[in-house]
Amino acid sequence: MEKTVKLHDKTFRVMIPASEIDAAVKAVADRINADYAGLETPLFVGVLNGSFMFLSDLIKKIEFNSELSFVKLASYEGTESTGKVHSLIGLNKSIEGRHIIIVEDIVDTGASIEHMIEDLRRGNPADIEVCTLFFKPASYSRNYPIKYSALEIGNEFIVGYGLDYDQLGRNLKDIYVVTNE
Ligand code: 5GP
Ligand code: MG
């Protein structure tokens, strides 16, 4: 029988086994190793919480000297503006002139990554690229190119390997997709 897990009210089944995730992480790390060789100490910026497992595996496959920092995108209601204000917390050092690689668990519409990029740009880095474990090209609606994506998927909802369903499922080592049961 196929292995399933129940998280809250939904049942999930394995979609991508850990071995395939590992191969995809290796392939994206190889590309980054080739592109950043010889550049001055790039800085990996992991977006919490979802990217913690991906970044911990990715960084072990990186062969150049680099720095690592985790950030969180906090959104709150602005005092005067009507919309939501987003601010980046966790970066306490200047990023001026640095080569930044944002590490995300998943890029869907692109709204979150756009806020991240806008915020980071204010710090005048040399350049910013995005490295995401999962990319949903069919729902991506922004212009910023997603240079490194380990795996592309459709519009299904997935959990595991850091990704959650209402905070559950981050510990799973395979990727699971919701079933229709
Ligand atoms: P975006 O701002 O690109 O639309 O969405 C990005 C965020 O939505 C991700 O960081 C993640 O928190 C959440 N998200 C989008 N698709 C999925 C999915 O299939 N599974 C999980 N667990 N989260 C998702
Ligand atoms: Mg995320």
Side-chain angles (χ1 to χ4, degrees):
M1 219 190 84
E2 199 179 34
K3 195 179 154 200
T4 60
V5 292
K6 188 144 196 295
L7 306 173
H8 299 297
D9 58 327
K10 292 188 180 5
T11 305
F12 295 81
R13 63 176 165 78
V14 174
M15 181 171 116
I16 305 169
S19 57
E20 263 179 54
I21 301 169
D22 189 59
V25 174
K26 174 81 170 68
V28 87
D30 286 347
R31 288 180 54 207
I32 294 174
N33 280 327
D35 293 351
Y36 285 78
L39 292 186
E40 183 70 34
T41 325
L43 171 63
F44 289 89
V45 176
V47 185
L48 289 173
N49 293 325
S51 75
F52 78 95
M53 208 176 277
F54 175 39
L55 184 46
S56 82
D57 283 345
L58 179 75
I59 203 79
K60 284 179 265 183
K61 302 180 197 307
I62 293 300
E63 290 160 357
F64 50 82
N65 284 345
S66 57
E67 291 181 14
L68 182 154
S69 190
F70 279 102
V71 297
K72 211 164 180 142
L73 197 57
S75 67
Y76 52 93
E77 302 296 330
T79 46
E80 279 164 37
S81 65
T82 47
K84 279 221 165 81
V85 177
H86 296 261
S87 74
L88 209 56
I89 50 176
L91 272 186
N92 38 26
K93 221 177 113 181
S94 163
I95 56 164
E96 189 160 354
R98 302 294 301 271
H99 300 287
I100 308 287
I101 304 160
I102 303 174
V103 180
E104 264 284 19
D105 53 353
I106 186 161
V107 174
D108 184 7
T109 64
S112 337
I113 202 73
E114 186 170 73
H115 286 297
M116 281 279 305
I117 292 163
E118 279 169 8
D119 239 57
L120 288 171
R121 270 188 176 148
R122 283 185 219 123
N124 292 317
D127 44 62
I128 304 173
E129 297 295 354
V130 177
C131 175
T132 187
L133 176 61
F134 288 100
F135 183 41
K136 294 182 173 177
S139 64
Y140 188 65
S141 66
R142 304 303 202 273
N143 296 320
Y144 206 88
I146 305 300
K147 187 161 183 187
Y148 305 103
S149 84
L151 294 156
E152 291 196 356
I153 57 168
N155 283 339
E156 55 269 50
F157 185 81
I158 57 169
V159 296
Y161 196 76
L163 287 94
D164 72 306
Y165 169 46
D166 201 6
Q167 299 309 324
L168 296 184
R170 295 193 197 277
N171 58 307
L172 300 167
K173 62 178 188 295
D174 306 299
I175 289 291
Y176 288 70
V177 64
V178 69
T179 65
N180 294 322
E181 290 156 35

